[in-house]
Amino acid sequence: MERAAVFDVDGTLVDTNHLHVATWWEAFRQAGHEVPMHALHRAVGLGSDDLVAHLLGEDRAEREAAELSAAHKALYGQYFDRLPALRDAGRLLRRLDHEGWTVVLATSAGGAELSALRRAISADDAITATASADDVSEGKPAPEPVEHALELAGVPAERAVFVGDTVWDMKAGSRAGVRCVGVLCGGIPRADLEEAGAEAIYDDPAQLLTSLPDSPFAWLPFDR
């Protein structure tokens, strides 16, 4: 039976969380809102509408989410040609692909942003499919992005591992019934990831790559 390795992208494979914080902060500032950067950091990983609702409340989100999201996209888009992949992100995906895992991305990014992130990772040869914001009605922490990734891989939840960097990732993966692995490179504390459902935690893709033989990926053998 096949196995699926499902990955979040921002903060997990590409070092973009603090770019998102800065550009969301500026988008809110331009709209007249003072939102602390630490609050923005905790909200990164939510879809745009959910992020605005989380920070401003549902009522304001209904009125302002589209404008704030457009401002954030314009500001963040200035970095598309220089988004930095985290160390060994591409090597990790290729290693898993070589070992028989079906690699799928599950991300709130879509369109040109997703294309820029994939260019940064530079491992398209190892990626089977992508479940993006364009494909689901509810983003993380709802399980739908992870469930859609499993559908694309053709793999049941018990044959999958999901890797992410935020509380929203761990909650989405747990609700989808998959094993969850956390990484600290997105800036979220270890204790928060564990509380949200992470079974194992690594510093970054590079440490996960060197730790694969002892990681949750090794707990799920390949049935031939």
Side-chain angles (χ1 to χ4, degrees), residues 41-42 165-167 170 182-196 198 201:
H41 184 209
R42 294 280 183 159
D165 68 296
T166 69
V167 166
M170 299 301 100
V183 287
L184 299 173
C185 42
I188 300 302
R190 178 184 297 269
D192 291 4
L193 297 177
E194 289 176 340
E195 184 179 353
I201 297 176

Side-chain angles (χ1 to χ4, degrees), residues 10-74:
D10 281 299
T12 300
L13 297 172
V14 188
D15 193 8
T16 52
N17 279 10
H18 291 88
L19 287 174
H20 278 298
V21 170
T23 51
W24 271 116
W25 177 85
E26 178 61 17
F28 279 109
R29 189 198 66 81
Q30 289 177 2
H33 300 293
E34 294 183 9
V35 180
M37 288 197 183
H38 69 84
L40 282 162
H41 184 209
R42 294 280 183 159
V44 168
L46 293 171
S48 294
D49 290 353
D50 291 332
L51 182 146
V52 176
H54 181 72
L55 294 167
L56 297 184
E58 293 287 349
D59 291 343
R60 281 191 169 179
E62 287 183 10
R63 299 192 302 269
E64 301 184 54
E67 183 177 347
L68 286 164
S69 178
H72 165 255
K73 285 181 180 179

